[in-house]
Each structure stands twice: as C-alpha cells, then as structure tokens.
Amino acid sequence: MRLKLVPTETAWDFFRFTKVAIFGSSLAMIASILLFFVVGLNFGIDFRGGTTIRTEAHSEVDVAAYRGALQGLDLGDITITEVFDPSFEADQHVAMINVQAQEGQEAVTPETIAAIEAELQQVDPSITFPSVESVGPTVSGELVRTAIIAVALAITAVLIYIWLRFEWQFSLGAVAALVHDVTLTIGIFSLLQIRFDLAIIAALLTIVGYSLNDTVVVFDRVRENLRKYKKRPLGEVLNLSINETLSRTVMTSVTTLIALISLFVLGGDVIRGFVFAMIWGVIVGTYSSVFVASVVLLRLGVTRDWSKSDNGAGPGPGGGTQFSNVDA
Amino acid sequence: MLNIPLWNRIVIWGLVALGLAFAMPNLFYPRVERHNDAAAAIEAGLSSEEAEADLAAWPSFLPSTLVNLGLDLRGGAHLLAQVNVEDVYVARLDALWPSVRDALRDERETVGTIRRQDSAPGELRVRISQPDGMTSALEAVRTLSRPVSNLTGVGASTLDVRADGDEVVVTLSEAERTATDDRTMRQSVEIVRRRVDEVGTREPTIQRQGQDRILIQVPGIGSAEELKRLIGTTARLTFHPVTGRGGSGLQPESREIVLPDIEDDSLYYRLEQTPVLSGEDLSDAQPAFNQNGQPTVNFTLTTSGSRAFCEYSQNNVGAPFAIVLDEEVLSAPTIREAICGGSGQISGNFTVETSTELAVLLRAGALPAEMTFLEERTVGPELGADSIAAGETAAVVAGIAVLLFMGLSYGLFGLFANVALIVNVVLIFGLLSLIGATLTLPGIAGIVLTIGMAVDANVLIFERIREELKTAKGPSRAIELGYEKARSAIYDANITTFITAVILYMMGSGPVRGFAITLGLGIVTSVFTALFVTRLLIVMWFERRRPKTIEV
C-alpha cells in the first residue's frame, strides 16, 4: 500500500480562498513590518559589533551572579542568556554572554576578555570558554550592507531569469512571493527575538531559493497548460496546474521538512536559529507559491500570443521563448 | 524507447565510482589525516619512525582526499586584520631625507642653509634660508623622483614636490601611494604567513581581502589572543645612539625621539631618530641563555649590517646605545670596544617563552606597518567536535527518515530514488574532497537540506510518470514522457536555486560560504543523480523485467 499525502486526483478550487489569502498575507506582512520597526530584530554581533562569549560550566548557570561579576568591569550593555539543548550532558551548562562594542575600539582587547574570564572564573571555577567572537563596528557595518545587497541581488537575478524563461507577469508573481516570504521571516524573527546573524541571511537566501523552486514548478506547469488549453480562462488553467503539481509540492515540502526538523532537534544549539528560519521558510514558501505567486499572476493576467502557431508539442528546454518573445 | 547507449552507462557508473573513491577516505578521517601529514613531513625531509608508521597506515594507492573542516568544526582562531598602510609613507619619507638633504646641499649657493621641519605624518618639510632659490630647490628635489614601477601608474612619478612659503614640501604621489600600499600588503601577508608557519599548524588560511585587510584563519590554535600576539606584534628591532636619559618629562630635540624603558616605567631615553641598525640587518635569531642562566636572544647580522655596526662601535666606544623593540627600549648597554664579530645578544626580562617568541618574530621579519584587528573569533575544539557529532546524528536521522518516506510513497521507484539519494550524498562528499572545499556547520546544514531537496527532481519525474500512466500509453512510453516533460521544470527550479547559491558564495564569508558550496554542489549532484542515475536504474530494471504495468 502506498503512502499518499494527497489524493491522486484533486480538483480543489484554490482561488476560492483568494480573498482570505490576500487578506491574511497582507495582514501578516503589515504585522511583520510593524514588528520590525517597533520591536526590531535581535541583531547578533555580526551586524551590531561587540563580543559574544560562550561559557560552559559543570554547575547551574546563575545569570544574576554572572551579571554581578561583570558589573564592575564597566563594559556597558551586557546580555546573558542561558542555552538549553537536548544534546547537552547532565552537567553541561551553557550560557552566551553578549558585550556591546566598546567605544573607540575595533575588536575587543585581550585585556577585556582576560578580565571577563577571570571574573567569571571567580563565580564558577569549573567554567570554560569554548568560543569567543568579536566583531568591530567597521566590519559589522559592512556586513549589514553586504547582506542587504546579497538579498536584493538574489531577488533581482531571479526576477531576470524568470522573465527570460517565462513572461514578466510570472516574474512579478514569483518576486511577490519572495518578498512575502522574506518579510514574514523577518517578522517572526522580530516577534520571537531569535538572534539574527550572518547565518540567518544565508537561511533567507535559501528560503528565496526554495520558495522559487516551488513557484517555478507551478509556473512551468501553467505555461504548459496554457498551450494545451488555449480556450480555458486563466484562472481555471492556474487552478488546474496547482492541482496537478500539488502532490509534488507536498512531497518535496515534507521530505525537506523531515530533514530540517531532524536538524532542528538534533543538530545542536549553534545552528538552531538558522534551521528555524529555514523550516519557517519552507512552510511559508510552499504557501506563497500557491497563494501569493499564483494570485498575483491571475491578477496581472497573461498575454497569450495566439498569432504564433503552437502545435501543442511538449515543451523542450527552449519552450519558454514563445512567451518571452511577447512584447511586454 | 528507453535506450541508453553503453558508453553513457559507463560514464554514469564511472562518475559514481569516482565520487565514491574520493569520498571514501572521509570515513577514516583521523587515519587519512595522519597519513597526509606524515606524507607532507617526509616530503619536507622530516622523516621519523612515527611519520613512516602513519604513512603506512593508509595504502598509498587509495585516494587520500579529505574534506577540510572549517574553524567552527575543528576549532581554531579567525582574525581579520587591517594594515595601517599609511605607516609606511612615514618611513619612506624618513628614508628619503638624507638624499633630499644631499641634493639641496649641492645647491647651497642658491638655496642657502636648509633645515628639516616637523610636519604632519606623510609629509617631509624642509625650510630653506633663501626663498629666492625655491625654483632650483624644487628642481633639485624633483630629480629624486623616479617613475612609479607598476602597470597602472604609467607616466606617474613617485614624489610630489611643491613649495609652501619658504618650505619645500615632499609627499608621495597618488600612484606611488597605491604602489606602496600594494607592496606593503604583499609584505604583510608574507610575513604573517612566515610567522604562522613558524609555529607549524595545519593548513592556515592567510588571504588578502580588499584594499588593506588580511584574513587569517588558523585551525587548532588555542585562541585568537595567542594568534594576535604572534602576528599582531610589529617586531621592529632597531639600534639607536642614546643622547640622554631621564624621567617622563624628557623632551626630544630635533630629529630625536623619546622612548620608555620596557621595565622601568619612570625611565625614559632620548635617542637619535635614525637607527644604526634595524631588523633587516639580522640574518638569524635564536633563543639562548646568558652566563647567568637568563633567557636571551642571540642574533647574527648580515654582512652589511655587521660592517655598519663595526664601524659605528669603533667610533663610539664608551657611548651607550639602545636596543629598541616596537617603541620600547629593551636595554641600553655601553659600547666597551668595537664589535665586529657580526653577532650579539639581546637580554631583557625574558622568560623562556618570550625569548623563543621574540626569536621567531625576529627571524620572520618585522611587519612593514601596524595592524588593527577588526574581527576575531575563537572556537574551542570541543565545541567543534560537539557540532560535528550533532550534525552527523541529524544527517543520519534525516537520511533514514527521508529514505523511509520515499520508499513508502513510491515503492520500488522510491527505492531507486533512495539509491540515488545515497549516491548524491557520496558525490557531494567526493566533490568537496576533490576541490578541497571547507565544510562548515552551516555546510552540514546545507547537506541535510540537500537530502531533503534532492528527492525533488525525482518526485517531479515520478509524479509526471504517474500522470502519464493515467493516459494509458504503456509503461515504457510513460516513463519516457515523464522524464521528458519533467525536465524543463527540473532545470528551471534548480537553476534559480543555483543562482542564489552562487550569490551566497560571492557575498558570503566563512561559514556562510561553506553553506553556499554544499548547497550549490548539492544542486548539481541531485540533478545529475535524478536525470542519470535514477533513470539508468529504472531502465536497467525495465530491461530485465519488461513489466506490462508499472506502479509508481
């Protein structure tokens, strides 16, 4: 007996939910933007500058005692968070200490680190420091710029590629889905205050890639069906295409989620934020390729070029040129 | 029909076998690593019984390619340093001063007496007593200018010489600054490399980044602090004539400097600015002990350095001279007799470690300019090992879960896809080893993600075959059509993801780049396995069984 997540034949009307989807997505995007501006992202040192020290001790982490010990060093803003992970041993207690970038210094001085370590060792002699990372303000400013450029560049490149392979309406649909996914990810990171660092940018770009993957598969089928059913209205063709690819969409999302969830649970705390972003991205990306990209495409309409003869042959790798020739 | 020519099959299986061969050494990571280290040691002429044993532990006819582990997995230190390239302008102009002086002296008739003025760094100001002779003074100094020796600065000369009242102002030209910066950077990178190599760690990365930065990654070193001490010290050793000593109120006269004693905070020395000898005059430095059993550093001078010091000491018996390291006076002994042996000893308040360290630094040479550290990261080896273990467990669990899921969903075809999935992971490791890429923790995440996404191409094909079967064209036709029609979706979907991987690689650094590499390679291998390996498996099965109906 086969495991079937989606019935073999589906004829669900996805556009019945268009209004709800548009309303929900718009609301979520506005909420995300508000969250971003009101609450803000919990930027890691990559983007803010400063020092992060990971501590590991045999006895319980006493955040108040740690804070008390560091108070005398006059380091400005210090945050201390205890880290929990199922992979830790019973007597493994981990905390992350964030120290803001110090006035007039690039990377933290060896003296400061030595002083912090000495103070903490007084609190707990068993404490060790498995990692110390420090980023100066110059670099963190550049990293922010690079990150923004990277995301913008990725979206633009994809926009151009889809435009060349399909039509500009498809391109806008796909990019609307991408912007939706990226915005919602930033929103959830603002809401949950998960540390936002360089790795999350990598996750964002992966989400862009994944969401696109999904969208492109649906669009590919739309293009094919548009040729096959020349008389049917666009909405019907879109709906048919989504139904036909639904089984694949769900299968791929599920296998990817299986892999990601196992990484989320077992992969350790160092990359948990990164994996969380990707899980979120897969879910949102799957949703957006159906409800955002297609809806935008439906609204924009597609120029069907009837003047060109199309004998309905299967689309070869160059099949997309028929549409890219259209005067957009 | 489903024809795949024999040579095609051979190529496909051959590629899979190659991937397997290059990936396999990673299963025996520690042993192969020791083997490679031993091979390198023996190559360098450092043969030992231990090395021979390590070498023999892995058969030499097998590939010994390994995936490099990134700092976050192996532990080590990462530094991003900015070289203060302007430092060199100052030194360059100081070195130019004697020639400027001589050139102007030759024109004494018209320019009168000359005197160097204090000036902003990067400028050389000389006052002449007869401003009427400015034109000839400028001309005389301009003769010192040379054409810039690089490709971009064609036609440009090294110096900008202008008049400012009764002063001649000399600065380095724009083109010369660029050329100097480039030279400074190359020297700095070289010296950092020598210093890191001196302590002999495995596969350090030392790269120039952008205009004036150096990225240094050293696996296996205890902390970034240790690394900073090693490469952050300028280690500029100079010998100066002493003109006076006193407390903190000591004032330098013209062309003099005042430097503190390294131990005694209240003791300052007044020294002539121009050194008699500098670090470049050393040919060797070794840690040693003096007759009292205190650690010292013994040095040997080059022939020219030895001659210069011999001459100076002959003329200055009874006068003190100072040994200065990075703006601090190590000691200021008095010359008792002419020193012409070409060697000497530096004593100070050394421990065995610091004397060894100083000897290393002196041997490697001084940095041409100071460095500021913009970014530093240390990862302990235990944290790295934990990350690897966690990543491995997650990958194995993810793999098994996906294999089960595929088997349940597609039956026999699912099994084919599973074989392809395993081949896929093997190929990723093979490629990573082959191109010597670095595996980072996000890189492992990339592989796990690939495990999830790699089935996508197969799913696309299988779903298509299912659809084609519905129109009842017979199994072989359905399979063929399934592949044909799914291809455009597979290409489009993977090319777009590949674009993002490429952008990540270009814009990212360190761990992010590691992620981009595994993601990109994963896309290439998963398309290869879906379009070729799975297909070949299906065709081979089909040829044997010739089924009348198939179920996907």
Side-chain angles (χ1 to χ4, degrees):
Chain A
M1 217 22 244
R2 294 292 160 81
L3 179 72
K4 283 226 166 65
L5 299 176
V6 176
T8 323
E9 290 277 357
T10 56
W12 295 332
D13 181 9
F14 285 96
F15 292 109
R16 207 174 57 210
F17 312 112
T18 305
K19 288 218 172 77
V20 186
I22 290 180
F23 180 72
S25 288
S26 311
L27 202 67
M29 281 176 77
I30 292 168
S32 295
I33 293 167
L34 280 180
L35 276 169
F36 173 70
F37 282 109
V38 177
V39 184
L41 287 167
N42 175 13
F43 284 115
I45 54 163
D46 289 337
F47 297 129
R48 207 184 40 180
T51 306
T52 299
I53 300 173
R54 187 183 169 97
T55 67
E56 206 177 302
H58 291 310
S59 47
E60 293 277 339
V61 173
D62 184 347
V63 174
Y66 283 15
R67 183 176 298 283
L70 299 180
Q71 211 81 72
L73 294 177
D74 197 23
L75 294 170
D77 188 21
I78 297 177
T79 50
I80 300 169
T81 21
E82 189 167 1
V83 180
F84 301 96
D85 193 89
S87 69
F88 289 163
E89 318 260 321
D91 65 340
Q92 194 178 4
H93 300 280
V94 177
M96 299 291 274
I97 299 174
N98 269 300
V99 182
Q100 71 171 65
Q102 301 296 303
E103 200 75 27
Q105 286 174 9
E106 279 296 340
V108 71
T109 59
E111 291 77 30
T112 313
I113 292 192
I116 294 174
E117 294 190 350
E119 289 293 337
L120 290 174
Q121 249 144 8
Q122 298 235 318
V123 177
D124 187 341
S126 75
I127 205 163
T128 54
F129 305 94
S131 86
V132 178
E133 299 185 65
S134 180
V135 177
T138 316
V139 174
S140 64
E142 286 167 18
L143 288 176
V144 172
R145 216 171 314 135
T146 318
I148 294 172
I149 293 174
V151 174
L153 208 61
I155 293 183
T156 318
V158 160
L159 189 109
I160 293 171
Y161 180 80
I162 298 187
W163 187 12
L164 291 178
R165 287 284 285 157
F166 297 85
E167 251 186 279
W168 67 270
Q169 292 94 334
F170 288 79
S171 186
L172 281 188
V175 168
L178 292 188
V179 173
H180 170 266
D181 300 345
V182 171
T183 312
L184 254 55
T185 309
I186 288 176
I188 193 95
F189 270 76
S190 302
L191 180 68
L192 300 179
Q193 288 293 300
I194 304 171
R195 196 149 66 109
F196 195 88
D197 52 25
L198 260 192
I200 307 297
I201 295 292
L204 270 182
L205 284 181
T206 317
I207 294 169
V208 167
Y210 183 88
S211 163
L212 215 63
N213 200 322
D214 255 10
T215 310
V216 166
V217 169
V218 176
F219 280 3
D220 189 77
R221 188 58 74 98
V222 172
R223 179 170 61 185
E224 189 188 327
N225 283 339
L226 276 175
R227 278 184 209 139
K228 210 153 132 196
Y229 309 104
K230 295 185 180 177
K231 297 272 146 52
R232 287 171 84 168
L234 180 61
E236 257 179 58
V237 174
L238 276 176
N239 205 33
L240 175 74
S241 308
I242 296 171
N243 272 299
E244 281 177 354
T245 49
L246 189 64
S247 173
R248 173 266 158 196
T249 306
V250 173
M251 276 297 294
T252 300
S253 296
V254 169
T255 52
T256 309
L257 280 178
I258 289 176
L260 286 176
I261 287 169
S262 95
L263 198 60
F264 184 78
V265 177
L266 303 166
D269 67 289
V270 182
I271 51 167
R272 188 151 294 144
F274 175 72
V275 177
F276 172 79
M278 291 210 278
I279 291 179
W280 174 258
V282 168
I283 297 169
V284 175
T286 307
Y287 160 84
S288 74
S289 63
V290 173
F291 288 100
V292 179
S294 305
V295 169
V296 170
L297 185 57
L298 181 63
R299 288 291 147 101
L300 288 173
V302 180
T303 330
R304 299 198 199 188
D305 191 356
W306 305 121
S307 61
K308 292 247 168 71
S309 69
D310 184 6
N311 53 17
T321 47
Q322 186 213 337
F323 284 105
S324 50
N325 285 338
V326 172
D327 240 358
Chain B
M1 288 290 289
L2 295 169
N3 284 325
I4 299 181
L6 182 66
W7 68 269
N8 247 335
R9 301 181 185 210
I10 294 172
V11 169
I12 294 169
W13 287 130
L15 285 175
V16 172
L18 267 181
L20 196 64
F22 283 117
M24 185 252 322
N26 290 298
L27 285 176
F28 308 93
Y29 204 95
R31 199 195 294 181
V32 180
E33 187 171 48
R34 279 202 305 276
H35 165 85
N36 289 349
D37 289 348
I42 290 168
E43 183 123 324
L46 300 164
S47 185
S48 69
E49 225 167 89
E50 209 176 313
E52 293 288 349
D54 283 342
L55 187 70
W58 184 254
S60 55
F61 58 87
L62 290 175
S64 54
T65 44
L66 286 178
V67 172
N68 285 328
L69 295 180
L71 286 188
D72 53 349
L73 295 180
R74 190 196 281 278
H78 160 119
L79 286 178
L80 182 63
Q82 180 155 34
V83 180
N84 305 337
V85 286
E86 287 87 6
D87 285 5
V88 179
Y89 306 157
V90 180
R92 280 286 302 279
L93 289 173
D94 275 344
L96 195 67
W97 163 236
S99 337
V100 171
R101 185 184 54 201
D102 293 347
L104 289 176
R105 266 186 195 156
D106 291 344
E107 300 287 320
R108 199 173 316 179
E109 303 291 297
T110 45
V111 303
T113 55
I114 53 172
R115 196 174 172 80
R116 183 173 177 184
Q117 304 292 308
D118 289 328
S119 61
E123 246 183 20
L124 178 66
R125 279 178 181 269
V126 186
R127 172 177 289 158
I128 53 176
S129 65
Q130 296 173 17
D132 297 341
M134 186 53 89
T135 328
S136 43
L138 291 181
E139 220 157 89
V141 178
R142 282 201 184 111
T143 56
L144 297 171
S145 192
R146 303 266 172 276
V148 177
S149 55
N150 73 346
L151 290 174
T152 50
V154 180
S157 57
T158 51
L159 302 178
D160 282 346
V161 186
R162 61 186 169 89
D164 181 12
D166 58 351
E167 289 174 353
V168 179
V169 184
V170 186
T171 50
L172 297 181
S173 70
E174 196 56 45
E176 176 63 7
R177 280 175 195 234
T178 317
T180 307
D181 289 355
D182 193 54
R183 212 160 33 233
T184 309
M185 286 307 293
R186 264 182 290 144
Q187 264 174 22
S188 302
V189 168
E190 183 51 36
I191 283 163
V192 167
R193 186 186 310 281
R194 266 191 254 158
R195 289 185 185 180
V196 173
D197 282 349
E198 283 266 4
V199 291
T201 67
R202 184 182 290 123
E203 288 163 21
T205 309
I206 295 150
Q207 271 169 1
R208 181 172 169 183
Q209 268 199 343
Q211 279 294 311
D212 56 355
R213 293 189 184 164
I214 307 177
L215 173 75
I216 306 135
Q217 291 187 321
V218 184
I221 201 164
S223 75
E225 301 316 317
E226 212 175 296
L227 186 59
K228 244 165 127 175
R229 261 214 314 282
L230 183 69
I231 60 178
T233 319
T234 316
R236 184 176 294 129
L237 184 76
T238 44
F239 292 54
H240 298 259
V242 177
T243 54
R245 58 182 85 194
S248 57
L250 201 61
Q251 286 302 320
E253 288 176 16
S254 181
R255 312 300 307 142
E256 286 188 340
I257 45 172
V258 168
L259 295 178
D261 189 84
I262 193 162
E263 288 162 50
D264 188 349
D265 288 341
S266 60
L267 181 58
Y268 287 80
Y269 294 91
R270 203 165 65 205
L271 312 170
E272 278 183 25
Q273 192 173 35
T274 315
V276 182
L277 283 181
S278 69
E280 284 99 74
D281 298 314
L282 297 190
S283 65
D284 190 23
Q286 291 294 338
F289 295 93
N290 64 11
Q291 56 271 49
N292 303 328
Q294 284 164 334
T296 57
V297 176
N298 286 359
F299 61 85
T300 319
L301 292 169
T302 60
T303 324
S304 63
S306 162
R307 203 177 306 125
F309 195 56
C310 178
E311 196 180 312
Y312 171 78
S313 55
Q314 264 168 355
N315 299 336
N316 290 279
V317 173
F321 76 100
I323 303 174
V324 176
L325 182 70
D326 291 338
E327 315 278 288
E328 283 181 317
V329 178
L330 282 181
S331 61
T334 303
I335 301 171
R336 293 211 183 84
E337 57 191 344
I339 305 164
C340 295
S343 66
Q345 191 174 60
I346 306 172
S347 51
N349 197 11
F350 292 129
T351 63
V352 179
E353 284 82 43
T354 53
S355 72
T356 313
E357 225 171 72
L358 181 60
V360 166
L361 293 176
L362 291 180
R363 271 206 303 280
L367 285 171
E370 258 188 68
M371 296 202 285
T372 319
F373 293 97
L374 304 179
E375 187 186 334
E376 57 174 277
R377 296 171 196 265
T378 311
V379 176
E382 315 81 26
L383 184 60
D386 287 354
S387 293
I388 294 184
E392 267 175 8
T393 323
V396 168
V397 171
I400 292 174
V402 171
L403 292 181
L404 270 177
F405 183 71
M406 284 297 283
L408 285 174
S409 298
Y410 293 108
L412 183 65
F413 277 59
L415 285 187
F416 293 148
N418 286 344
V419 173
L421 181 59
I422 294 167
V423 168
N424 191 19
V425 174
V426 168
L427 284 182
I428 292 179
F429 270 98
L431 277 175
L432 281 175
S433 312
L434 191 64
I435 63 175
T438 303
L439 186 65
T440 59
L441 187 53
I444 294 182
I447 292 178
V448 177
L449 183 71
T450 309
I451 292 177
M453 282 175 69
V455 296
D456 182 54
N458 282 313
V459 169
L460 271 167
I461 294 163
F462 293 170
E463 293 291 332
R464 200 71 208 217
I465 295 177
R466 269 187 190 171
E467 278 176 51
E468 298 302 325
L469 278 173
K470 278 183 231 157
T471 47
K473 289 174 187 123
S476 95
R477 184 75 189 136
I479 293 172
E480 203 175 316
L481 278 178
Y483 269 96
E484 211 167 87
K485 291 198 170 169
R487 193 172 293 143
S488 108
I490 293 176
Y491 281 141
D492 280 339
N494 284 291
I495 288 174
T496 41
T497 315
F498 194 75
I499 291 175
T500 57
V502 169
I503 288 171
L504 258 183
Y505 182 81
M506 291 190 315
M507 311 293 291
S509 68
V512 174
R513 195 168 258 208
F515 174 75
I517 290 174
T518 52
L519 187 68
L521 290 180
I523 291 165
V524 174
T525 56
S526 68
V527 171
F528 169 77
T529 49
L531 290 185
F532 297 104
V533 179
T534 331
R535 183 176 194 179
L536 186 54
L537 287 171
I538 294 174
V539 168
M540 285 167 66
W541 164 79
F542 200 82
E543 282 171 350
R544 273 169 169 265
R545 291 290 165 84
R546 295 268 158 210
K548 289 277 175 296
T549 55
I550 54 170
E551 195 192 356
V552 181

